[in-house]
Amino acid sequence: MMFFTEEENNLSREYLDKGYIIRPVADIEALESIRHQFNSLIRELLEINDYVESEALLNNIHDYVSVAELNNFRLNIIQGINSIELFREKYFQVAKKYIETIVGNELSMQLRINLSIQLPQDDSSLLPVHSDIWSGDSPYEVVVWLPLVDCYGTKAMYILPPKDTDELSEEFRDKASGSSEELYQAIQDKVEWLEVKYGEVLIFDQSLPHGNRINKETETR
């Protein structure tokens, strides 16, 4: 028999209804350690010796990295963070109590943490509308999306709510024959843009169509 608190029941209902939850991170020390490690790697790669406040540096990566350099820079950061001992454990800690409420405590976590960077006005780092299960991922997975800066407007991501996803599934054979852009145009009035601030964590159902668009804000995501 499982005994859930009212808070845990509300969390589960919200996740089922919306397809995602946004909550304060469960371990602020782990989050601060993660951002510190990112900043250390960035300063080392970019050879930044002058003091730049962490948030200012992360929000303004476009002042240091060009679009042409972005992918190599991102891959170097990914390699760096995944070589840090206990990094995955700290990443898990920021969302542990929420994941265990939604999924349970018998878990498997992917081996490498990924990183997304979107410079302002850059169309080379777009993630077209997709559902992870369309490419063979399990429908029982959840994604933990941890922002290192405040994400809002087009600096964030969008997701199609569960009810609208069900409607899309009924029409998918017709809509899937077009391009991903045509698919987005068909659902753009129904998608929900998510605002996730630094200090919060987003957990979402990766079977729901989601993606991003050109970052039209003045800051880097």
Side-chain angles (χ1 to χ4, degrees), residues 20-215:
Y20 71 88
I21 59 164
I22 298 171
R23 290 291 189 277
V25 296
D27 188 330
I28 191 66
E29 290 183 4
L31 171 64
E32 290 173 349
S33 174
I34 286 170
R35 187 153 84 160
H36 173 74
Q37 290 168 329
F38 268 101
N39 272 283
S40 295
L41 285 168
I42 290 169
R43 293 177 195 279
E44 181 181 347
L45 281 172
L46 299 180
E47 299 181 345
I48 298 175
N49 297 316
D50 297 334
Y51 176 76
V52 182
E53 193 271 329
S54 295
E55 186 173 355
L57 176 60
L58 291 169
N59 272 314
N60 294 282
I61 290 295
H62 54 279
D63 290 339
Y64 303 90
V65 180
S66 69
V67 172
E69 299 167 327
L70 180 59
N71 194 51
N72 280 338
F73 173 76
R74 186 180 70 88
L75 293 176
N76 282 325
I77 294 292
I78 291 174
Q79 181 178 9
I81 61 174
N82 283 287
S83 67
I84 297 173
E85 186 178 5
L86 301 181
F87 189 88
R88 289 172 71 245
E89 180 178 338
K90 289 181 179 179
Y91 199 97
F92 176 60
Q93 291 299 325
V94 301
K96 181 177 184 289
K97 70 176 184 179
Y98 306 127
I99 295 174
E100 290 184 345
T101 297
I102 295 169
V103 182
N105 59 10
E106 295 184 6
L107 301 167
S108 177
M109 180 180 179
Q110 70 182 42
L111 293 177
R112 289 173 61 82
I113 305 298
N114 199 6
L115 171 67
S116 173
I117 305 175
Q118 268 194 291
L119 307 183
Q121 307 302 325
D122 173 23
D123 63 359
S124 69
S125 303
L126 300 184
L127 195 61
V129 58
H130 70 287
S131 162
D132 293 4
I133 65 172
W134 295 349
S135 56
D137 283 16
S138 167
Y140 302 105
E141 293 180 14
V142 299
V143 174
V144 176
W145 200 81
L146 181 68
L148 298 178
V149 293
D150 291 347
C151 294
Y152 56 89
T154 53
K155 190 185 171 188
M157 61 165 279
Y158 63 81
I159 192 167
L160 188 66
K163 291 181 181 179
D164 296 303
T165 296
D166 290 342
E167 292 179 7
L168 176 63
S169 297
E170 295 176 359
E171 307 168 354
F172 188 74
R173 181 170 296 180
D174 295 330
K175 287 186 167 57
S177 60
S179 67
S180 59
E181 178 61 23
E182 289 173 329
L183 179 57
Y184 175 77
Q185 294 299 327
I187 64 172
Q188 65 174 330
D189 294 335
K190 298 178 180 179
V191 301
E192 182 176 354
W193 284 88
L194 307 181
E195 179 175 335
V196 193
K197 299 176 181 178
Y198 175 71
E200 296 178 329
V201 62
L202 163 68
I203 302 173
F204 70 91
D205 179 352
Q206 46 83 53
S207 69
L208 301 177
H210 57 281
N212 60 27
R213 304 291 286 177
I214 292 176
N215 176 10

